[in-house]
Amino acid sequence: MLDLAILGLLEEQELHGYEIRRQLRDSLGLLANVSFGSLYPALARLEAAGDVEAVDGADEVAPTAPPTGSLSGERAVLRARRHSRPRGRRSRKAYRITGQGRRTFARLLAGDGADDARSFGLRLAFARHLPPPARLALLERRRAQLVERLAEVDGARSEATLDVYARSVVEHTAEGVARDIHWLERLIEAERKPDGQRAAGRAASRRESGGRVAGRPAMAGKGNERN
Amino acid sequence: MLDLAILGLLEEQELHGYEIRRQLRDSLGLLANVSFGSLYPALARLEAAGDVEAVDGADEVAPTAPPTGSLSGERAVLRARRHSRPRGRRSRKAYRITGQGRRTFARLLAGDGADDARSFGLRLAFARHLPPPARLALLERRRAQLVERLAEVDGARSEATLDVYARSVVEHTAEGVARDIHWLERLIEAERKPDGQRAAGRAASRRESGGRVAGRPAMAGKGNERN
DNA sequence: GTCATCATGTAAGCCGTTACATGATTGC
DNA sequence: GCAATCATGTAACGGCTTACATGATGAC
C-alpha cells in the first residue's frame, strides 16, 4: 500500500523521501504519519526492484511551468521560490519512477481485489490514472463490500442486549457505512454519465459552500484521461 | 487491543474462543473478522499471564436466568435452547476472567492514551465498566484528537492542486471527521447531564431499535477505518 | 460416507511501528 | 556554538493475517 502511494506521487514528479512523507501528510491526508522507518526501506526496495531510480542530479523540481494537472507541482514550485535556494539538504536522494514502475503502479492501482478503507481511499485518490472502466469497477467493488458490511452491522444493530454505549457505537458505525455507500453511489452516478465537460467535477465536491468546484484541475476535458 | 476485547466479553460471561469471535463479529461489529490465528494465541497469553483461567466444567452457560445486563446472555440462552443439546463440541476450552484479569481490563479500558479509531470504539463499547469521570475523559480525549485531525485534513482540503478524485476523498474524510466530532459532542453532553433513571450500568432499554437516532452522524472512526 | 459446522491450534510472513544513529544547513 | 529543521537510514519488535493441520459431531 505504501508502494502504491509512493509510486503515485512519483508519477507526478521526482521527489525525495522526506518530501514524499510531507505530501502524504499534507496533501492527501491519507496515510498520515507514515514513518520514515517504513518509508525509506520501501524506497530502497522499490529501487532494488527497478520500479524507481535515484536521480542525484542537482535540483529535482522540474523547470516546466504548468506541465499537467499535477497533484502538487504548483505547490512545489511555490515553495522552491519562497526560499530562493533550497535549504537544509543533506544527501537528498531524489527518485524518479521508471517505465517498469509505471506498470507496477498501474497493476497496484487496478488492484487484485482486497481493498480495505485505506487502500480504497488511496486508489480513488489516484483514480485519475485509471482508465474509466477500471474506475467504475473500483467504485462498484467497494460499494458491494460496504453493502455486505452494512448487512453485518445491521445484524448487530438489532441485538437486544447492547447497553447504551455499545449501541451508540454500533449505530454510529452503521450510519457511517450507509453514508459511505451513499457517497460511492454519487460517484458511480457521476462516473457513468458521459463525461461532458464537468460531469465528474460536480460529484466530487457536493459541499455547498458555493460552487467553488472551480476549475477541473486535472480532470481536464477529454483526451488525456484515457491512458 | 484484542486483549481488551476478550477481557471485556469475559467480564460478562464465560466463553470459549470460537464464541468470542462470533460475538466480536455479530454483536459488536467492531474488530470484525479477527482471525483465530491471533485469537487463540491471545487467549493462551492471557491465561499464562493469569488474567483468565480455563474452566473445563461441562457447560459454560450459566444457569442464571437474567443475570446482569450481559452483552449477549439472552442470545446464548436462546441458541442453547434451539438445539436442546449443544452441538459440535470438541474440546471446547471455556475461559473465565480472574480478579487480576479484571484489574488488567480496567487498566486497558482507562487506556494510557493512544486511541486510534478502533480502540476508541472498543473502549466506548465497554464504557459501562468505566467510572463516569473516566468515561467523560475518554470522550473528551477522543474529541480533542479529532479536532486536531480535522485541522490537518482541512489543510489538505484547501490544497488547490487536487484533482476531482483526490479532492472527493479529502472532502469525504473531512466530513467524516466533523461528524465524528458531532457525535462525540452529543455523547459528552449526555454524559454531563445528571443521569436520571437511565443510569449507565444497566442494560440497554430495548424497545425502539428502528432507525431513529437524532442527527445523522457518520463514519465510525476516521477516514481510514475498517474494511 | 461425506459435507458443513464447530472447535483449537501452529508457522510463516507482511506491514507497519518505535527507537536509535548519523549528518548537513540555517538562523539566532 | 547550538538548536531546529531537513534528511537518510538501521534494528528490533508488534500485532495481525493467511495458510496449514487436526479433530469431533450432526445432517443429509
Side-chain angles (χ1 to χ4, degrees), chain B residues 119-130:
Chain B
S119 51
F120 169 75
L122 202 54
R123 279 187 185 126
L124 184 55
F126 289 127
R128 152 164 82 99
H129 298 289
L130 226 36

PDB file of all heavy atoms in Angstrom, chain B residues 119-130:
ATOM      1  N   SER B 119      -9.544   1.370  18.737  1.00  0.00           N
ATOM      2  CA  SER B 119      -9.516   1.124  20.166  1.00  0.00           C
ATOM      3  C   SER B 119     -10.446   2.087  20.889  1.00  0.00           C
ATOM      4  O   SER B 119     -11.005   1.733  21.932  1.00  0.00           O
ATOM      5  CB  SER B 119      -8.100   1.172  20.717  1.00  0.00           C
ATOM      6  OG  SER B 119      -7.440   2.336  20.323  1.00  0.00           O
ATOM      7  N   PHE B 120     -10.648   3.263  20.340  1.00  0.00           N
ATOM      8  CA  PHE B 120     -11.642   4.137  20.957  1.00  0.00           C
ATOM      9  C   PHE B 120     -13.025   3.510  20.894  1.00  0.00           C
ATOM     10  O   PHE B 120     -13.751   3.478  21.888  1.00  0.00           O
ATOM     11  CB  PHE B 120     -11.681   5.520  20.299  1.00  0.00           C
ATOM     12  CG  PHE B 120     -12.864   6.324  20.757  1.00  0.00           C
ATOM     13  CD1 PHE B 120     -12.890   6.904  22.014  1.00  0.00           C
ATOM     14  CD2 PHE B 120     -13.990   6.448  19.946  1.00  0.00           C
ATOM     15  CE1 PHE B 120     -13.992   7.612  22.464  1.00  0.00           C
ATOM     16  CE2 PHE B 120     -15.103   7.150  20.387  1.00  0.00           C
ATOM     17  CZ  PHE B 120     -15.106   7.724  21.643  1.00  0.00           C
ATOM     18  N   GLY B 121     -13.379   3.021  19.734  1.00  0.00           N
ATOM     19  CA  GLY B 121     -14.685   2.399  19.566  1.00  0.00           C
ATOM     20  C   GLY B 121     -14.875   1.255  20.543  1.00  0.00           C
ATOM     21  O   GLY B 121     -15.937   1.103  21.147  1.00  0.00           O
ATOM     22  N   LEU B 122     -13.835   0.492  20.690  1.00  0.00           N
ATOM     23  CA  LEU B 122     -13.890  -0.645  21.591  1.00  0.00           C
ATOM     24  C   LEU B 122     -14.061  -0.173  23.035  1.00  0.00           C
ATOM     25  O   LEU B 122     -14.890  -0.697  23.786  1.00  0.00           O
ATOM     26  CB  LEU B 122     -12.593  -1.438  21.456  1.00  0.00           C
ATOM     27  CG  LEU B 122     -12.615  -2.892  21.874  1.00  0.00           C
ATOM     28  CD1 LEU B 122     -13.718  -3.638  21.165  1.00  0.00           C
ATOM     29  CD2 LEU B 122     -11.265  -3.526  21.577  1.00  0.00           C
ATOM     30  N   ARG B 123     -13.298   0.821  23.408  1.00  0.00           N
ATOM     31  CA  ARG B 123     -13.387   1.342  24.773  1.00  0.00           C
ATOM     32  C   ARG B 123     -14.767   1.901  25.052  1.00  0.00           C
ATOM     33  O   ARG B 123     -15.342   1.687  26.113  1.00  0.00           O
ATOM     34  CB  ARG B 123     -12.353   2.442  24.987  1.00  0.00           C
ATOM     35  CG  ARG B 123     -11.011   1.886  25.285  1.00  0.00           C
ATOM     36  CD  ARG B 123     -10.011   2.953  25.673  1.00  0.00           C
ATOM     37  NE  ARG B 123      -8.722   2.293  25.822  1.00  0.00           N
ATOM     38  CZ  ARG B 123      -7.610   2.648  25.215  1.00  0.00           C
ATOM     39  NH1 ARG B 123      -7.596   3.705  24.433  1.00  0.00           N
ATOM     40  NH2 ARG B 123      -6.507   1.958  25.398  1.00  0.00           N
ATOM     41  N   LEU B 124     -15.273   2.635  24.072  1.00  0.00           N
ATOM     42  CA  LEU B 124     -16.591   3.213  24.283  1.00  0.00           C
ATOM     43  C   LEU B 124     -17.650   2.121  24.407  1.00  0.00           C
ATOM     44  O   LEU B 124     -18.569   2.224  25.228  1.00  0.00           O
ATOM     45  CB  LEU B 124     -16.931   4.158  23.129  1.00  0.00           C
ATOM     46  CG  LEU B 124     -18.255   4.899  23.283  1.00  0.00           C
ATOM     47  CD1 LEU B 124     -18.312   5.667  24.597  1.00  0.00           C
ATOM     48  CD2 LEU B 124     -18.481   5.838  22.112  1.00  0.00           C
ATOM     49  N   ALA B 125     -17.482   1.072  23.631  1.00  0.00           N
ATOM     50  CA  ALA B 125     -18.447  -0.021  23.691  1.00  0.00           C
ATOM     51  C   ALA B 125     -18.489  -0.654  25.088  1.00  0.00           C
ATOM     52  O   ALA B 125     -19.518  -1.152  25.526  1.00  0.00           O
ATOM     53  CB  ALA B 125     -18.113  -1.079  22.646  1.00  0.00           C
ATOM     54  N   PHE B 126     -17.362  -0.584  25.777  1.00  0.00           N
ATOM     55  CA  PHE B 126     -17.290  -1.149  27.127  1.00  0.00           C
ATOM     56  C   PHE B 126     -17.366  -0.069  28.201  1.00  0.00           C
ATOM     57  O   PHE B 126     -17.082  -0.321  29.380  1.00  0.00           O
ATOM     58  CB  PHE B 126     -16.013  -1.955  27.300  1.00  0.00           C
ATOM     59  CG  PHE B 126     -16.004  -3.254  26.540  1.00  0.00           C
ATOM     60  CD1 PHE B 126     -14.971  -3.569  25.677  1.00  0.00           C
ATOM     61  CD2 PHE B 126     -17.038  -4.171  26.703  1.00  0.00           C
ATOM     62  CE1 PHE B 126     -14.956  -4.765  24.983  1.00  0.00           C
ATOM     63  CE2 PHE B 126     -17.035  -5.373  26.007  1.00  0.00           C
ATOM     64  CZ  PHE B 126     -15.993  -5.672  25.145  1.00  0.00           C
ATOM     65  N   ALA B 127     -17.747   1.130  27.812  1.00  0.00           N
ATOM     66  CA  ALA B 127     -17.663   2.291  28.698  1.00  0.00           C
ATOM     67  C   ALA B 127     -18.509   2.135  29.958  1.00  0.00           C
ATOM     68  O   ALA B 127     -18.270   2.803  30.962  1.00  0.00           O
ATOM     69  CB  ALA B 127     -18.072   3.560  27.954  1.00  0.00           C
ATOM     70  N   ARG B 128     -19.450   1.267  29.875  1.00  0.00           N
ATOM     71  CA  ARG B 128     -20.293   0.991  31.028  1.00  0.00           C
ATOM     72  C   ARG B 128     -19.490   0.517  32.231  1.00  0.00           C
ATOM     73  O   ARG B 128     -19.913   0.691  33.381  1.00  0.00           O
ATOM     74  CB  ARG B 128     -21.300  -0.073  30.578  1.00  0.00           C
ATOM     75  CG  ARG B 128     -21.838  -0.999  31.602  1.00  0.00           C
ATOM     76  CD  ARG B 128     -23.068  -1.659  31.029  1.00  0.00           C
ATOM     77  NE  ARG B 128     -22.732  -2.782  30.164  1.00  0.00           N
ATOM     78  CZ  ARG B 128     -22.763  -4.063  30.568  1.00  0.00           C
ATOM     79  NH1 ARG B 128     -23.089  -4.342  31.807  1.00  0.00           N
ATOM     80  NH2 ARG B 128     -22.491  -5.020  29.737  1.00  0.00           N
ATOM     81  N   HIS B 129     -18.329  -0.067  31.967  1.00  0.00           N
ATOM     82  CA  HIS B 129     -17.489  -0.552  33.053  1.00  0.00           C
ATOM     83  C   HIS B 129     -16.553   0.520  33.586  1.00  0.00           C
ATOM     84  O   HIS B 129     -15.710   0.243  34.432  1.00  0.00           O
ATOM     85  CB  HIS B 129     -16.646  -1.739  32.576  1.00  0.00           C
ATOM     86  CG  HIS B 129     -17.459  -2.911  32.157  1.00  0.00           C
ATOM     87  ND1 HIS B 129     -18.146  -3.693  33.050  1.00  0.00           N
ATOM     88  CD2 HIS B 129     -17.723  -3.429  30.924  1.00  0.00           C
ATOM     89  CE1 HIS B 129     -18.782  -4.658  32.388  1.00  0.00           C
ATOM     90  NE2 HIS B 129     -18.553  -4.507  31.097  1.00  0.00           N
ATOM     91  N   LEU B 130     -16.697   1.698  33.039  1.00  0.00           N
ATOM     92  CA  LEU B 130     -15.794   2.781  33.399  1.00  0.00           C
ATOM     93  C   LEU B 130     -16.499   3.715  34.370  1.00  0.00           C
ATOM     94  O   LEU B 130     -17.677   4.013  34.197  1.00  0.00           O
ATOM     95  CB  LEU B 130     -15.458   3.553  32.118  1.00  0.00           C
ATOM     96  CG  LEU B 130     -14.054   3.964  31.737  1.00  0.00           C
ATOM     97  CD1 LEU B 130     -13.020   2.942  32.119  1.00  0.00           C
ATOM     98  CD2 LEU B 130     -14.030   4.261  30.256  1.00  0.00           C
TER      99      LEU B 130
END
